[in-house]
Amino acid sequence: MGVIIAKQRSLFKFYPERRWAEALSDGQMLFRALSYYRDYEDDGVRGDPFEGSSTYRPDGGLVMTNHTQRTVQTLVDHSVFSTTNQDEIFVFCLSRGMADELWTRFEATACVEITDPALFCARVQAALPPPAAFIGRPGRQRIGGRVSYYHPSREKAARWALPDQIALTKHEDFSWQNEFRLVFSRTGALEPYRTNVSLVQGEIAMPDKSDDHPSATVEVGGLRDICRVHVR
């Protein structure tokens, strides 16, 4: 299974304490479940109540076609809401830049710069033996991908069935993060159609928050040959 990732500029991981930056440089990585970020409360910096979900809500309403009866109906104030199994998809979040805004909003005192993203992704992917699965099509799976940002009125409706794509998308309010993610699952939660889909009228009711979220510690081995630690 090869790692397919385009050559790109450095990636950056921000930490509130330098000791965590040094731990990453030594190859110690903590992946969090999507549900952790869904329930995280920090005024919209890392926490996102719609993490691991996709909302399609066109401004003019949902156009529903009944091919059997040959009728078309527009459902005003409706959404197609799709959620992944947020406890079974694990992510490691990085940024594609080191702007002052990121230092400030993440309240960071240290940042790890990963100078060779392709090699970094290859090492992490190799450290996760089967049954770990990654994003992308069979035979072309990769662990890393750039996050895209959307508005529900302009969402791709086809994304509702693709958990790996949902894991790599966020609301455009988070575009300042300029995020790149490593993503994996050990349960098949990234396979197509492993989603829960509902038709919602009005506001979307979010599930109750939990204080118990799965995590996964991954030992990659030393990364100091492709890492630099920056401090402030």
Side-chain angles (χ1 to χ4, degrees):
M1 182 185 296
V3 175
I4 302 170
I5 178 172
K7 182 177 177 59
Q8 65 176 66
R9 58 192 179 187
S10 294
L11 297 173
F12 302 88
K13 180 68 173 180
F14 293 87
Y15 289 104
E17 298 181 41
R18 180 167 182 167
R19 61 188 176 117
W20 302 119
E22 299 294 348
L24 174 58
S25 299
D26 290 331
Q28 300 171 25
M29 300 177 63
L30 179 64
F31 281 72
R32 299 280 194 178
L34 290 176
S35 58
Y36 172 83
Y37 296 102
R38 179 198 65 201
D39 295 342
Y40 198 91
E41 295 185 3
D42 64 349
D43 296 324
V45 178
R46 290 179 174 85
D48 174 8
F50 290 97
E51 183 68 77
S53 67
S54 177
T55 306
Y56 179 51
R57 189 184 183 88
D59 290 334
L62 285 171
V63 178
M64 310 295 288
T65 301
N66 187 318
H67 294 284
T68 301
Q69 299 181 4
R70 297 183 180 181
T71 60
V72 177
Q73 181 182 12
T74 299
L75 302 179
V76 179
D77 196 31
H78 279 71
S79 306
V80 175
F81 185 58
S82 177
T83 61
T84 62
N85 191 325
Q86 297 151 349
D87 278 336
E88 297 180 5
I89 297 175
F90 296 91
V91 297
F92 187 83
C93 307
L94 305 109
S95 294
R96 300 177 66 249
M98 198 170 58
D100 287 343
E101 180 182 12
L102 296 169
W103 283 94
T104 300
R105 297 186 73 167
F106 286 135
E107 297 181 347
T109 63
C111 174
V112 178
E113 177 184 1
I114 298 163
T115 58
D116 191 332
L119 182 55
F120 172 68
C121 288
R123 290 181 181 178
V124 180
Q125 187 163 330
L128 288 162
F134 309 104
I135 56 178
R137 302 189 301 275
R140 295 178 60 85
Q141 286 195 323
R142 65 195 192 280
I143 195 171
R146 181 178 178 177
V147 172
S148 61
Y149 301 92
Y150 77 98
H151 190 277
S153 65
R154 300 184 296 274
E155 165 66 317
K156 295 179 181 178
R159 191 177 287 145
W160 65 267
L162 302 173
D164 61 340
Q165 289 193 22
I166 293 175
L168 288 178
T169 57
K170 298 188 71 171
H171 192 280
E172 62 185 19
D173 288 349
F174 292 89
S175 61
W176 61 271
Q177 294 177 343
N178 196 14
E179 189 175 344
F180 186 96
R181 280 185 167 177
L182 308 189
V183 184
F184 79 92
S185 175
R186 293 192 175 104
T187 63
L190 291 171
E191 295 175 5
Y193 300 101
R194 293 290 185 94
T195 56
N196 294 312
V197 185
S198 56
L199 183 65
V200 180
Q201 182 177 15
E203 295 296 320
I204 296 171
M206 303 307 296
D208 293 336
K209 295 183 183 297
S210 171
D211 293 326
D212 184 22
H213 305 99
S215 62
T217 300
V218 179
E219 297 285 348
V220 183
L223 296 171
R224 292 187 183 273
D225 58 323
I226 58 171
C227 287
R228 288 197 294 262
V229 177
H230 304 267
V231 296
R232 283 194 173 184

